[in-house]
Structures are given as C-alpha cells and as structure tokens.
mmCIF file of all heavy atoms in Angstrom:
data_model
loop_
_atom_site.group_PDB
_atom_site.id
_atom_site.type_symbol
_atom_site.label_atom_id
_atom_site.label_comp_id
_atom_site.label_asym_id
_atom_site.label_seq_id
_atom_site.Cartn_x
_atom_site.Cartn_y
_atom_site.Cartn_z
ATOM 1 N N LYS A 1 78.350 117.174 97.395
ATOM 2 C CA LYS A 1 76.929 117.393 97.183
ATOM 3 C C LYS A 1 76.714 118.527 96.155
ATOM 4 O O LYS A 1 77.602 119.335 95.915
ATOM 5 C CB LYS A 1 76.239 117.768 98.505
ATOM 6 C CG LYS A 1 76.427 116.717 99.599
ATOM 7 C CD LYS A 1 75.863 115.384 99.231
ATOM 8 C CE LYS A 1 75.915 114.373 100.305
ATOM 9 N NZ LYS A 1 75.434 113.054 99.941
ATOM 10 N N ASP A 2 75.526 118.526 95.609
ATOM 11 C CA ASP A 2 75.189 119.557 94.589
ATOM 12 C C ASP A 2 75.293 120.970 95.183
ATOM 13 O O ASP A 2 75.556 121.936 94.494
ATOM 14 C CB ASP A 2 73.789 119.354 94.041
ATOM 15 C CG ASP A 2 73.738 118.143 93.091
ATOM 16 O OD1 ASP A 2 74.837 117.667 92.715
ATOM 17 O OD2 ASP A 2 72.644 117.657 92.795
ATOM 18 N N ASN A 3 75.103 121.066 96.544
ATOM 19 C CA ASN A 3 75.184 122.387 97.142
ATOM 20 C C ASN A 3 76.633 122.754 97.518
ATOM 21 O O ASN A 3 76.859 123.833 98.098
ATOM 22 C CB ASN A 3 74.284 122.448 98.382
ATOM 23 C CG ASN A 3 74.691 121.393 99.432
ATOM 24 O OD1 ASN A 3 75.734 120.731 99.322
ATOM 25 N ND2 ASN A 3 73.818 121.222 100.472
ATOM 26 N N GLY A 4 77.589 121.889 97.191
ATOM 27 C CA GLY A 4 78.959 122.244 97.412
ATOM 28 C C GLY A 4 79.564 121.811 98.725
ATOM 29 O O GLY A 4 80.660 122.223 99.061
ATOM 30 N N PHE A 5 78.841 121.016 99.479
ATOM 31 C CA PHE A 5 79.361 120.515 100.748
ATOM 32 C C PHE A 5 79.998 119.166 100.550
ATOM 33 O O PHE A 5 79.631 118.328 99.755
ATOM 34 C CB PHE A 5 78.273 120.370 101.774
ATOM 35 C CG PHE A 5 77.768 121.706 102.326
ATOM 36 C CD1 PHE A 5 76.617 122.229 101.853
ATOM 37 C CD2 PHE A 5 78.479 122.377 103.294
ATOM 38 C CE1 PHE A 5 76.168 123.507 102.327
ATOM 39 C CE2 PHE A 5 78.090 123.586 103.766
ATOM 40 C CZ PHE A 5 76.873 124.140 103.281
ATOM 41 N N LEU A 6 81.118 118.940 101.313
ATOM 42 C CA LEU A 6 81.784 117.651 101.317
ATOM 43 C C LEU A 6 81.216 116.771 102.414
ATOM 44 O O LEU A 6 81.216 117.172 103.577
ATOM 45 C CB LEU A 6 83.326 117.862 101.480
ATOM 46 C CG LEU A 6 84.108 118.239 100.305
ATOM 47 C CD1 LEU A 6 85.554 118.508 100.695
ATOM 48 C CD2 LEU A 6 84.066 117.191 99.207
ATOM 49 N N ASP A 7 80.774 115.556 102.063
ATOM 50 C CA ASP A 7 80.253 114.622 103.044
ATOM 51 C C ASP A 7 81.164 113.379 102.989
ATOM 52 O O ASP A 7 81.007 112.528 102.131
ATOM 53 C CB ASP A 7 78.821 114.282 102.665
ATOM 54 C CG ASP A 7 78.188 113.330 103.723
ATOM 55 O OD1 ASP A 7 78.915 112.881 104.635
ATOM 56 O OD2 ASP A 7 76.988 113.089 103.617
ATOM 57 N N VAL A 8 82.119 113.325 103.932
ATOM 58 C CA VAL A 8 83.082 112.260 103.917
ATOM 59 C C VAL A 8 82.477 110.946 104.398
ATOM 60 O O VAL A 8 83.130 109.911 104.405
ATOM 61 C CB VAL A 8 84.304 112.598 104.726
ATOM 62 C CG1 VAL A 8 85.071 113.733 104.064
ATOM 63 C CG2 VAL A 8 83.985 112.914 106.167
ATOM 64 N N GLY A 9 81.205 110.969 104.767
ATOM 65 C CA GLY A 9 80.516 109.764 105.156
ATOM 66 C C GLY A 9 80.404 108.780 103.968
ATOM 67 O O GLY A 9 80.215 107.604 104.136
ATOM 68 N N PHE A 10 80.588 109.354 102.741
ATOM 69 C CA PHE A 10 80.535 108.497 101.544
ATOM 70 C C PHE A 10 81.913 108.139 101.036
ATOM 71 O O PHE A 10 82.060 107.621 99.975
ATOM 72 C CB PHE A 10 79.742 109.213 100.434
ATOM 73 C CG PHE A 10 78.279 109.328 100.741
ATOM 74 C CD1 PHE A 10 77.680 110.513 101.164
ATOM 75 C CD2 PHE A 10 77.452 108.195 100.612
ATOM 76 C CE1 PHE A 10 76.326 110.591 101.395
ATOM 77 C CE2 PHE A 10 76.082 108.296 100.853
ATOM 78 C CZ PHE A 10 75.546 109.473 101.261
ATOM 79 N N SER A 11 82.962 108.461 101.838
ATOM 80 C CA SER A 11 84.309 108.097 101.433
ATOM 81 C C SER A 11 84.500 106.579 101.563
ATOM 82 O O SER A 11 83.698 105.895 102.273
ATOM 83 C CB SER A 11 85.339 108.833 102.265
ATOM 84 O OG SER A 11 85.242 108.447 103.629
ATOM 85 N N GLU A 12 85.497 106.090 100.884
ATOM 86 C CA GLU A 12 85.739 104.609 100.880
ATOM 87 C C GLU A 12 87.158 104.289 101.329
ATOM 88 O O GLU A 12 88.058 105.143 101.099
ATOM 89 C CB GLU A 12 85.484 104.039 99.476
ATOM 90 C CG GLU A 12 84.065 104.269 98.978
ATOM 91 C CD GLU A 12 83.859 103.773 97.506
ATOM 92 O OE1 GLU A 12 84.925 103.476 96.871
ATOM 93 O OE2 GLU A 12 82.740 103.715 97.051
ATOM 94 N N PRO A 13 87.376 103.108 101.895
ATOM 95 C CA PRO A 13 88.726 102.728 102.243
ATOM 96 C C PRO A 13 89.570 102.527 100.986
ATOM 97 O O PRO A 13 89.077 102.105 99.964
ATOM 98 C CB PRO A 13 88.521 101.397 103.004
ATOM 99 C CG PRO A 13 87.219 100.884 102.543
ATOM 100 C CD PRO A 13 86.347 102.081 102.241
ATOM 101 N N TYR A 14 90.816 102.949 101.093
ATOM 102 C CA TYR A 14 91.757 102.809 99.955
ATOM 103 C C TYR A 14 93.132 102.374 100.466
ATOM 104 O O TYR A 14 93.686 103.014 101.338
ATOM 105 C CB TYR A 14 91.824 104.120 99.206
ATOM 106 C CG TYR A 14 92.814 104.115 98.051
ATOM 107 C CD1 TYR A 14 92.548 103.459 96.877
ATOM 108 C CD2 TYR A 14 94.042 104.742 98.191
ATOM 109 C CE1 TYR A 14 93.450 103.465 95.828
ATOM 110 C CE2 TYR A 14 94.990 104.786 97.131
ATOM 111 C CZ TYR A 14 94.650 104.096 95.962
ATOM 112 O OH TYR A 14 95.573 104.114 94.898
ATOM 113 N N ALA A 15 93.646 101.276 99.895
ATOM 114 C CA ALA A 15 94.978 100.783 100.274
ATOM 115 C C ALA A 15 95.944 101.112 99.152
ATOM 116 O O ALA A 15 95.769 100.666 97.970
ATOM 117 C CB ALA A 15 94.895 99.297 100.513
ATOM 118 N N ALA A 16 96.945 101.927 99.430
ATOM 119 C CA ALA A 16 97.960 102.309 98.436
ATOM 120 C C ALA A 16 99.187 101.428 98.664
ATOM 121 O O ALA A 16 99.509 101.018 99.791
ATOM 122 C CB ALA A 16 98.317 103.757 98.607
ATOM 123 N N MET A 17 99.894 101.165 97.567
ATOM 124 C CA MET A 17 101.103 100.282 97.655
ATOM 125 C C MET A 17 102.274 101.012 98.298
ATOM 126 O O MET A 17 103.253 100.397 98.707
ATOM 127 C CB MET A 17 101.519 99.885 96.248
ATOM 128 C CG MET A 17 101.907 100.985 95.327
ATOM 129 S SD MET A 17 102.481 100.362 93.684
ATOM 130 C CE MET A 17 100.944 99.757 93.046
ATOM 131 N N GLU A 18 102.160 102.371 98.504
ATOM 132 C CA GLU A 18 103.200 103.157 99.159
ATOM 133 C C GLU A 18 102.589 104.425 99.717
ATOM 134 O O GLU A 18 101.395 104.749 99.440
ATOM 135 C CB GLU A 18 104.293 103.462 98.117
ATOM 136 C CG GLU A 18 103.755 104.310 96.972
ATOM 137 C CD GLU A 18 104.737 104.451 95.813
ATOM 138 O OE1 GLU A 18 105.686 103.649 95.767
ATOM 139 O OE2 GLU A 18 104.559 105.355 94.986
ATOM 140 N N GLU A 19 103.373 105.136 100.484
ATOM 141 C CA GLU A 19 102.857 106.402 101.007
ATOM 142 C C GLU A 19 102.666 107.384 99.838
ATOM 143 O O GLU A 19 103.504 107.532 98.986
ATOM 144 C CB GLU A 19 103.890 106.974 101.982
ATOM 145 C CG GLU A 19 103.356 108.245 102.701
ATOM 146 C CD GLU A 19 104.337 108.717 103.784
ATOM 147 O OE1 GLU A 19 105.326 108.039 104.044
ATOM 148 O OE2 GLU A 19 104.063 109.802 104.301
ATOM 149 N N LEU A 20 101.471 108.005 99.844
ATOM 150 C CA LEU A 20 101.154 108.930 98.754
ATOM 151 C C LEU A 20 101.721 110.333 98.983
ATOM 152 O O LEU A 20 101.873 110.754 100.180
ATOM 153 C CB LEU A 20 99.629 109.035 98.615
ATOM 154 C CG LEU A 20 98.880 107.725 98.287
ATOM 155 C CD1 LEU A 20 97.386 107.959 98.273
ATOM 156 C CD2 LEU A 20 99.365 107.146 96.933
ATOM 157 N N LYS A 21 101.980 111.018 97.903
ATOM 158 C CA LYS A 21 102.409 112.380 97.992
ATOM 159 C C LYS A 21 101.288 113.249 98.602
ATOM 160 O O LYS A 21 100.096 113.003 98.321
ATOM 161 C CB LYS A 21 102.754 112.941 96.629
ATOM 162 C CG LYS A 21 104.023 112.347 95.983
ATOM 163 C CD LYS A 21 104.279 112.962 94.654
ATOM 164 C CE LYS A 21 105.538 112.376 94.017
ATOM 165 N NZ LYS A 21 105.799 112.981 92.650
ATOM 166 N N LYS A 22 101.625 114.237 99.399
ATOM 167 C CA LYS A 22 100.638 115.104 99.997
ATOM 168 C C LYS A 22 99.886 115.884 98.942
ATOM 169 O O LYS A 22 98.777 116.388 99.186
ATOM 170 C CB LYS A 22 101.306 116.057 100.982
ATOM 171 C CG LYS A 22 101.849 115.421 102.244
ATOM 172 C CD LYS A 22 102.404 116.393 103.222
ATOM 173 C CE LYS A 22 102.910 115.700 104.498
ATOM 174 N NZ LYS A 22 103.462 116.679 105.474
ATOM 175 N N ASP A 23 100.459 115.997 97.711
ATOM 176 C CA ASP A 23 99.776 116.701 96.640
ATOM 177 C C ASP A 23 98.388 116.138 96.378
ATOM 178 O O ASP A 23 97.488 116.820 95.977
ATOM 179 C CB ASP A 23 100.593 116.559 95.346
ATOM 180 C CG ASP A 23 101.884 117.341 95.407
ATOM 181 O OD1 ASP A 23 102.054 118.161 96.357
ATOM 182 O OD2 ASP A 23 102.757 117.120 94.575
ATOM 183 N N PHE A 24 98.229 114.790 96.623
ATOM 184 C CA PHE A 24 97.002 114.144 96.308
ATOM 185 C C PHE A 24 96.078 113.917 97.536
ATOM 186 O O PHE A 24 95.038 113.276 97.426
ATOM 187 C CB PHE A 24 97.270 112.756 95.658
ATOM 188 C CG PHE A 24 98.020 112.841 94.351
ATOM 189 C CD1 PHE A 24 99.311 112.410 94.222
ATOM 190 C CD2 PHE A 24 97.353 113.365 93.225
ATOM 191 C CE1 PHE A 24 100.008 112.503 93.035
ATOM 192 C CE2 PHE A 24 98.041 113.444 92.058
ATOM 193 C CZ PHE A 24 99.344 113.011 91.927
ATOM 194 N N LEU A 25 96.520 114.482 98.678
ATOM 195 C CA LEU A 25 95.690 114.379 99.873
ATOM 196 C C LEU A 25 95.107 115.745 100.110
ATOM 197 O O LEU A 25 95.713 116.780 99.964
ATOM 198 C CB LEU A 25 96.556 113.959 101.053
ATOM 199 C CG LEU A 25 97.274 112.596 100.951
ATOM 200 C CD1 LEU A 25 98.110 112.323 102.189
ATOM 201 C CD2 LEU A 25 96.324 111.433 100.628
ATOM 202 N N SER A 26 93.837 115.730 100.551
ATOM 203 C CA SER A 26 93.097 116.997 100.792
ATOM 204 C C SER A 26 93.807 117.795 101.876
ATOM 205 O O SER A 26 94.206 117.290 102.931
ATOM 206 C CB SER A 26 91.648 116.703 101.146
ATOM 207 O OG SER A 26 91.578 115.913 102.349
ATOM 208 N N GLN A 27 93.901 119.073 101.645
ATOM 209 C CA GLN A 27 94.503 120.015 102.601
ATOM 210 C C GLN A 27 93.542 121.172 102.862
ATOM 211 O O GLN A 27 92.758 121.493 101.989
ATOM 212 C CB GLN A 27 95.857 120.566 102.061
ATOM 213 C CG GLN A 27 96.897 119.523 101.814
ATOM 214 C CD GLN A 27 98.227 120.117 101.284
ATOM 215 O OE1 GLN A 27 98.504 121.272 101.510
ATOM 216 N NE2 GLN A 27 99.010 119.257 100.623
ATOM 217 N N GLU A 28 93.617 121.734 104.043
ATOM 218 C CA GLU A 28 92.743 122.831 104.427
ATOM 219 C C GLU A 28 92.925 123.960 103.424
ATOM 220 O O GLU A 28 94.056 124.384 103.094
ATOM 221 C CB GLU A 28 93.061 123.280 105.841
ATOM 222 C CG GLU A 28 92.082 124.441 106.283
ATOM 223 C CD GLU A 28 92.362 124.830 107.691
ATOM 224 O OE1 GLU A 28 93.318 124.355 108.315
ATOM 225 O OE2 GLU A 28 91.623 125.734 108.190
ATOM 226 N N GLY A 29 91.812 124.464 102.899
ATOM 227 C CA GLY A 29 91.843 125.523 101.955
ATOM 228 C C GLY A 29 91.835 125.079 100.499
ATOM 229 O O GLY A 29 91.699 125.925 99.602
ATOM 230 N N ASP A 30 92.033 123.769 100.261
ATOM 231 C CA ASP A 30 91.887 123.288 98.901
ATOM 232 C C ASP A 30 90.463 123.479 98.369
ATOM 233 O O ASP A 30 89.497 123.409 99.123
ATOM 234 C CB ASP A 30 92.172 121.768 98.856
ATOM 235 C CG ASP A 30 93.637 121.437 98.936
ATOM 236 O OD1 ASP A 30 94.497 122.343 98.959
ATOM 237 O OD2 ASP A 30 93.998 120.227 98.960
ATOM 238 N N ILE A 31 90.453 123.685 97.083
ATOM 239 C CA ILE A 31 89.104 123.740 96.384
ATOM 240 C C ILE A 31 89.100 122.557 95.435
ATOM 241 O O ILE A 31 89.987 122.379 94.629
ATOM 242 C CB ILE A 31 88.933 125.054 95.603
ATOM 243 C CG1 ILE A 31 89.053 126.265 96.529
ATOM 244 C CG2 ILE A 31 87.623 125.072 94.877
ATOM 245 C CD1 ILE A 31 89.162 127.605 95.823
ATOM 246 N N LEU A 32 88.118 121.725 95.619
ATOM 247 C CA LEU A 32 87.908 120.565 94.768
ATOM 248 C C LEU A 32 86.756 120.801 93.809
ATOM 249 O O LEU A 32 85.702 121.264 94.238
ATOM 250 C CB LEU A 32 87.611 119.315 95.614
ATOM 251 C CG LEU A 32 88.622 119.022 96.794
ATOM 252 C CD1 LEU A 32 88.209 117.694 97.484
ATOM 253 C CD2 LEU A 32 90.013 118.885 96.264
ATOM 254 N N VAL A 33 86.984 120.533 92.556
ATOM 255 C CA VAL A 33 85.958 120.723 91.540
ATOM 256 C C VAL A 33 85.708 119.440 90.811
ATOM 257 O O VAL A 33 86.662 118.779 90.288
ATOM 258 C CB VAL A 33 86.391 121.803 90.516
ATOM 259 C CG1 VAL A 33 85.183 122.146 89.581
ATOM 260 C CG2 VAL A 33 86.893 123.079 91.222
ATOM 261 N N ARG A 34 84.469 119.030 90.755
ATOM 262 C CA ARG A 34 84.124 117.852 89.944
ATOM 263 C C ARG A 34 84.446 118.104 88.491
ATOM 264 O O ARG A 34 84.117 119.186 87.953
ATOM 265 C CB ARG A 34 82.634 117.559 90.075
ATOM 266 C CG ARG A 34 82.203 116.781 91.284
ATOM 267 C CD ARG A 34 80.737 116.390 91.232
ATOM 268 N NE ARG A 34 80.394 115.628 90.021
ATOM 269 C CZ ARG A 34 79.506 114.650 89.942
ATOM 270 N NH1 ARG A 34 78.858 114.364 91.067
ATOM 271 N NH2 ARG A 34 79.234 114.009 88.856
ATOM 272 N N LEU A 35 85.075 117.116 87.862
ATOM 273 C CA LEU A 35 85.401 117.262 86.408
ATOM 274 C C LEU A 35 84.315 116.708 85.545
ATOM 275 O O LEU A 35 84.511 116.600 84.321
ATOM 276 C CB LEU A 35 86.756 116.540 86.116
ATOM 277 C CG LEU A 35 87.959 117.239 86.857
ATOM 278 C CD1 LEU A 35 89.229 116.411 86.616
ATOM 279 C CD2 LEU A 35 88.146 118.636 86.421
ATOM 280 N N SER A 36 83.187 116.343 86.167
ATOM 281 C CA SER A 36 82.003 115.914 85.389
ATOM 282 C C SER A 36 80.802 116.682 85.950
ATOM 283 O O SER A 36 80.839 117.252 87.017
ATOM 284 C CB SER A 36 81.813 114.388 85.560
ATOM 285 O OG SER A 36 81.646 114.032 86.918
ATOM 286 N N ALA A 37 79.748 116.708 85.169
ATOM 287 C CA ALA A 37 78.539 117.462 85.550
ATOM 288 C C ALA A 37 78.099 116.985 86.923
ATOM 289 O O ALA A 37 78.120 115.803 87.231
ATOM 290 C CB ALA A 37 77.436 117.231 84.498
ATOM 291 N N PRO A 38 77.642 117.924 87.775
ATOM 292 C CA PRO A 38 77.430 119.369 87.526
ATOM 293 C C PRO A 38 78.598 120.294 87.827
ATOM 294 O O PRO A 38 78.396 121.441 88.098
ATOM 295 C CB PRO A 38 76.209 119.639 88.414
ATOM 296 C CG PRO A 38 76.462 118.756 89.639
ATOM 297 C CD PRO A 38 77.080 117.518 89.096
ATOM 298 N N TYR A 39 79.817 119.746 87.845
ATOM 299 C CA TYR A 39 81.034 120.563 88.013
ATOM 300 C C TYR A 39 81.018 121.375 89.315
ATOM 301 O O TYR A 39 81.398 122.539 89.379
ATOM 302 C CB TYR A 39 81.225 121.458 86.807
ATOM 303 C CG TYR A 39 81.137 120.702 85.541
ATOM 304 C CD1 TYR A 39 79.954 120.790 84.736
ATOM 305 C CD2 TYR A 39 82.131 119.836 85.102
ATOM 306 C CE1 TYR A 39 79.834 120.039 83.555
ATOM 307 C CE2 TYR A 39 82.024 119.099 83.927
ATOM 308 C CZ TYR A 39 80.881 119.170 83.181
ATOM 309 O OH TYR A 39 80.754 118.449 82.002
ATOM 310 N N THR A 40 80.571 120.725 90.380
ATOM 311 C CA THR A 40 80.441 121.402 91.669
ATOM 312 C C THR A 40 81.799 121.656 92.288
ATOM 313 O O THR A 40 82.696 120.802 92.218
ATOM 314 C CB THR A 40 79.637 120.541 92.622
ATOM 315 O OG1 THR A 40 78.452 120.033 91.937
ATOM 316 C CG2 THR A 40 79.164 121.310 93.835
ATOM 317 N N ALA A 41 81.934 122.826 92.901
ATOM 318 C CA ALA A 41 83.160 123.188 93.601
ATOM 319 C C ALA A 41 82.906 123.168 95.124
ATOM 320 O O ALA A 41 81.851 123.642 95.578
ATOM 321 C CB ALA A 41 83.629 124.584 93.184
ATOM 322 N N ALA A 42 83.885 122.658 95.868
ATOM 323 C CA ALA A 42 83.742 122.588 97.317
ATOM 324 C C ALA A 42 85.038 122.955 97.986
ATOM 325 O O ALA A 42 86.124 122.737 97.427
ATOM 326 C CB ALA A 42 83.322 121.211 97.740
ATOM 327 N N LEU A 43 84.963 123.516 99.207
ATOM 328 C CA LEU A 43 86.134 123.910 99.920
ATOM 329 C C LEU A 43 86.415 122.839 101.022
ATOM 330 O O LEU A 43 85.550 122.389 101.719
ATOM 331 C CB LEU A 43 85.870 125.251 100.554
ATOM 332 C CG LEU A 43 87.027 125.925 101.346
ATOM 333 C CD1 LEU A 43 88.170 126.297 100.346
ATOM 334 C CD2 LEU A 43 86.581 127.126 102.084
#
C-alpha cells in the first residue's frame, strides 16, 4: 500500500517448477521496495 503496509490478501497463487531459493522468499525483517512509482518501502 501507499502507506507502506503489506496486504497479502492481494497475493496470488504461484506454481514453481522447483523449490525456490530462500533468497526470493520474504523473511522477517526484510525491507521490500517497489521499483516503480511511488517506490514505497515496507517491512
């Protein structure tokens, strides 16, 4: 959200061909930043 909150209610199912590296899975304490406007950061 624009206020920096994560709302996983808008997440979507995703089927991967193999187990994904943990690098690409959200971890507690991660900061995610949108790479497009408005470049919101969320914890």
Side-chain angles (χ1 to χ4, degrees):
K1 304 299 184 183
D2 289 345
N3 58 10
F5 286 101
L6 281 174
D7 184 353
V8 294
F10 290 104
S11 64
E12 298 176 350
Y14 176 74
M17 63 177 69
E18 60 190 18
E19 185 175 354
L20 299 176
K21 292 181 179 179
K22 291 184 178 180
D23 292 347
F24 297 111
L25 302 180
S26 59
Q27 298 181 23
E28 184 178 2
D30 282 356
I31 300 167
L32 307 182
V33 187
R34 277 187 58 145
L35 295 176
S36 57
Y39 311 102
T40 316
L43 184 67

